[in-house]
Amino acid sequence: MNRDKFTNINIEEEDTIAAISTPLGIGGIGIVRISGPLSIPIASKIFRHKGKTKKSPNEFRSHNLYYGTIVQPDTEMLIDEVLLAIMRKPKTYTKEDIIEINCHGGLLVVRKVLEMVVKLGAKIAEPGEFTKIAFLNGRIDLSQAEAVIDIIEANNERSLESSLYQLSGGLREKINHLKSRIVELNTKIEAPMDFPDQGIAELDKSEIEKTLRDCLSEVNQLLDTVKFGQIIKEGIYCVILGKTNVGKSSLFNVLLKKNRSIVTSLPGTTRDTIEESINLKGFNFNLIDTAGMKNPENIIEQISLEKVSNFMEYGQVFIVMFDISRPLDEQDIALIDKIKSFGNRNINMIVIENKTDLPQQMDISELHKRLGVRETIKMSIKKKTGIELLENKMIDNALLDVNVPEGGLIVNNKRHQEFLLKVQERLSHIISKINTGIKDDFVAMDLKYAANQLARITGESCDREILNNVFSKFCIGK
Ligand SMILES: Nc1nc2c(ncn2[C@@H]2O[C@H](COP(=O)(O)OP(=O)(O)O)[C@@H](O)[C@H]2O)c(=O)[nH]1
Ligand SMILES: [Mg+2]
């Protein structure tokens, strides 16, 4: 079989690849994984069953675990005591023969085993190569391969759930279904053109339009999940703003449930932006504590202020804090102006009136008037009040204007979104032209284009660049 169908390189003999599949370092076990035709012959050369018996390749039973030792084949020198898993094709991760050697988890031992395996003819696997072979051998499609990375990287339940659904083929089925509807429509449109003498009736324009609208609505439904998909995959950027000493770092630490940021009564304690991730009710927030917004007095403050401005560009939720135990001053007002200058970006802002345990000095109605908000959260970090309210508000704000799917399919991959947008654009284009006397062969051309974009999501049609992009994101040994 020539598995490298995208590189136009003819491979006579399939490679056998090997890698350390567990993280490098000290651990309970370390696994060397080998896939390809040489894997079981290699096992036969270096494995001694129960520390004694050499087995010939065909003596190993598939999907069995063997206890024994790994030895240097020419000298019989002991390398490690192991468990050896044998999995014969085709029911394996790659659809090739796979062996996994479970070593004791020290760096040196697994490296030695890997070196030996390489000497015996295996080549070191590239990042993601096992999964790439699974794709090239047709066990999974490209969207499922991508789900594998997402599962590895998932840091919250929802993200994991949606990636597992994608791995099970959820997106693939949906895309293939859509594609076959478009291809079928195209065939019907082209038939009278291809066989003009057979008297095949031309398809009614209204029938074409109906199918197109159905398909478009399915594409739109998928695209509607993108925002939510992004939230569960990448987390929500939440920036804490306020002048110095209002309690930003104190809040940051409370939300984090640890003393990460230094808190003192001295203004200007925080000089850099500090970023940490927290999980609120299953959602990941990337929380950013900032230095107080004030006129920079030195280069450190200057850089810090630039960083804050940067975060303001792509933050999704903003917590804006005021210390109500002091009168509203120029610095508060400068901050309000700064935030307002972002007005056209529809900023999700949560206003906090902090230090309510102290006597109030601030003119609250003026604050509200300047901000143009009525709803604020009264808080005392010292007394730990208002914090739960804030946490709920953070989630509400993050999900504002976001369609939250009931479950099932969520598009959380920029690559998929990109191709779906092209399909959306093309289908909308045909629909808008269908009643203006557009020629059938133009419609056919557009439909072919749309079908092709869908095929790129599943990898049915793709080029080397797409493949390299997808698999370069993987870790070694997967
Ligand atoms: N009384 C009172 N003091 C607070 C409260 N929140 C923070 N502080 C104090 O305000 C000072 C500045 O806090 P900090 O978190 O460093 O403010 P930042 O400069 O905005 O990061 C520290 O001494 C905190 O202990 C609060 O709710 N009540
Ligand atoms: Mg601070």
Side-chain angles (χ1 to χ4, degrees):
M1 192 192 311
N2 173 12
R3 71 185 172 204
D4 213 352
K5 62 180 172 183
F6 295 98
T7 53
N8 300 323
I9 300 166
N10 252 330
I11 302 171
E12 293 298 320
E13 194 64 2
E14 276 174 56
D15 282 334
T16 295
I17 57 165
I20 300 169
S21 283
T22 38
L24 293 184
I26 307 289
I29 53 170
I31 297 178
V32 177
R33 188 195 233 181
I34 311 165
S35 173
L38 287 183
S39 55
I40 297 176
I42 288 176
S44 161
K45 286 189 182 128
I46 62 174
F47 178 75
R48 300 292 172 263
H49 193 209
K50 295 180 181 162
K52 295 196 284 276
T53 325
K54 183 172 171 170
K55 278 178 170 296
S56 66
N58 53 15
E59 280 179 283
F60 288 108
R61 285 175 43 208
S62 186
H63 292 80
N64 254 358
L65 200 59
Y66 292 88
Y67 165 73
T69 51
I70 296 291
V71 296
Q72 197 98 50
D74 33 4
T75 63
E76 292 293 313
M77 192 179 86
L78 178 68
I79 306 288
D80 197 12
E81 181 192 31
V82 301
L83 281 176
L84 169 72
I86 299 282
M87 290 162 276
R88 289 187 193 274
K89 67 181 180 185
K91 288 193 174 170
T92 69
Y93 189 72
T94 52
K95 280 184 116 179
E96 298 177 339
D97 288 344
I98 289 189
I99 70 163
E100 282 176 7
I101 306 169
N102 291 244
C103 308
H104 287 123
L107 199 55
L108 192 61
V109 168
V110 273
R111 275 210 187 131
K112 267 192 170 172
V113 174
L114 182 65
E115 266 169 30
M116 232 161 51
V117 168
V118 169
K119 268 198 194 130
L120 293 170
K123 89 177 192 17
I124 303 264
E126 286 162 24
E129 195 169 356
F130 290 93
T131 312
K132 189 175 180 178
I133 294 172
F135 164 69
L136 293 174
N137 283 341
R139 193 181 69 77
I140 53 175
D141 81 332
L142 204 54
S143 74
Q144 288 170 299
E146 287 167 310
V148 172
I149 321 176
D150 291 342
I151 288 170
I152 295 172
E153 289 179 353
N155 56 12
N156 63 75
E157 294 285 338
R158 280 164 203 247
S159 177
L160 180 61
E161 192 185 302
S162 106
S163 306
L164 283 168
Y165 187 73
Q166 194 174 314
L167 180 67
S168 74
L171 185 63
R172 184 191 61 189
E173 275 165 31
K174 181 84 184 172
I175 296 295
N176 283 343
H177 162 78
L178 252 171
K179 193 181 139 241
S180 62
R181 282 196 77 175
I182 292 177
V183 170
E184 197 183 317
L185 177 65
N186 190 37
T187 315
K188 283 188 189 160
I189 291 175
E190 283 189 329
M193 295 191 277
D194 291 347
F195 309 101
D197 48 351
Q198 305 229 337
I200 306 171
E202 263 185 38
L203 211 55
D204 198 33
K205 288 277 183 275
S206 67
E207 201 181 327
I208 300 178
E209 187 176 345
K210 186 181 173 304
T211 310
L212 287 173
R213 284 196 189 278
D214 284 354
C215 292
L216 181 62
S217 127
E218 285 187 44
V219 172
N220 286 344
Q221 269 174 28
L222 285 175
L223 283 168
D224 271 351
T225 66
V226 164
K227 265 191 182 172
F228 187 74
Q230 197 182 349
I231 283 179
I232 57 173
K233 187 170 179 181
E234 285 161 27
I236 303 140
Y237 278 87
C238 174
V239 190
I240 308 177
L241 297 171
K243 69 173 183 191
T244 51
N245 245 16
V246 293
K248 296 180 297 300
S249 298
S250 308
L251 177 67
F252 184 73
N253 290 344
V254 165
L255 291 173
L256 227 60
K257 298 189 170 64
K258 66 178 180 201
N259 280 335
R260 171 71 177 82
S261 244
I262 302 172
V263 171
T264 75
S265 56
L266 300 173
T269 307
T270 313
R271 304 183 84 174
D272 203 350
T273 46
I274 305 178
E275 191 177 334
E276 287 278 343
S277 177
I278 57 166
N279 189 295
L280 294 181
K281 298 192 179 148
F283 292 101
N284 265 60
F285 282 82
N286 309 314
L287 210 58
I288 297 130
D289 183 19
T290 62
M293 302 279 276
K294 67 184 187 74
N295 281 335
E297 283 167 13
N298 56 43
I299 180 79
I300 305 174
E301 290 182 0
Q302 176 67 38
I303 295 172
S304 181
L305 199 71
E306 278 163 20
K307 278 191 169 182
V308 177
S309 296
N310 239 338
F311 275 119
M312 287 186 80
E313 293 288 339
Y314 68 91
Q316 288 151 301
V317 172
F318 292 85
I319 298 176
V320 189
M321 280 188 107
F322 296 91
D323 173 357
I324 59 126
S325 72
R326 293 178 181 271
L328 199 67
D329 67 11
E330 286 159 23
Q331 287 181 25
D332 291 314
I333 292 168
L335 172 65
I336 294 171
D337 290 344
K338 173 105 185 155
I339 290 166
K340 285 205 156 162
S341 71
F342 277 75
N344 54 356
R345 233 202 69 201
N346 205 5
I347 278 186
N348 287 342
M349 180 168 66
I350 305 172
V351 176
I352 293 187
E353 296 167 15
N354 191 31
K355 307 199 188 181
T356 52
D357 55 291
L358 298 174
Q360 178 187 327
Q361 297 269 340
M362 187 174 281
D363 182 345
I364 298 293
S365 58
E366 189 185 350
L367 173 72
H368 291 191
K369 209 167 89 196
R370 283 190 182 270
L371 277 165
V373 298
R374 246 177 284 143
E375 207 186 326
T376 60
I377 294 177
K378 298 197 186 312
M379 179 176 284
S380 163
I381 297 174
K382 192 170 174 189
K383 294 249 162 80
K384 301 254 183 312
T385 56
I387 289 151
E388 205 185 322
L389 192 62
L390 169 66
E391 291 179 340
N392 290 332
K393 196 90 191 124
M394 282 164 70
I395 295 172
D396 290 350
N397 267 37
L399 296 181
L400 219 66
D401 308 324
V402 176
N403 163 38
V404 180
E406 293 278 308
L409 211 50
I410 296 166
V411 177
N412 66 0
N413 184 303
K414 290 226 165 71
R415 203 182 67 79
H416 303 167
Q417 181 193 6
E418 188 190 313
F419 290 122
L420 283 170
L421 282 170
K422 288 185 180 169
V423 178
Q424 182 192 50
E425 183 269 323
R426 200 52 65 108
L427 292 181
S428 311
H429 174 77
I430 318 175
I431 291 171
S432 74
K433 289 277 183 301
I434 197 88
N435 292 315
T436 63
I438 184 179
K439 285 219 171 83
D440 279 351
D441 41 358
F442 282 114
V443 175
M445 221 161 68
D446 280 339
L447 288 176
K448 275 187 195 136
Y449 175 86
N452 203 295
Q453 302 310 304
L454 290 169
R456 280 165 186 253
I457 296 178
T458 55
E460 190 192 328
S461 145
C462 74
D463 50 35
R464 201 173 183 164
E465 192 187 343
I466 292 185
L467 282 192
N468 286 347
N469 266 335
V470 168
F471 289 101
S472 65
K473 298 190 180 89
F474 273 84
C475 44
I476 290 192
K478 190 70 206 177

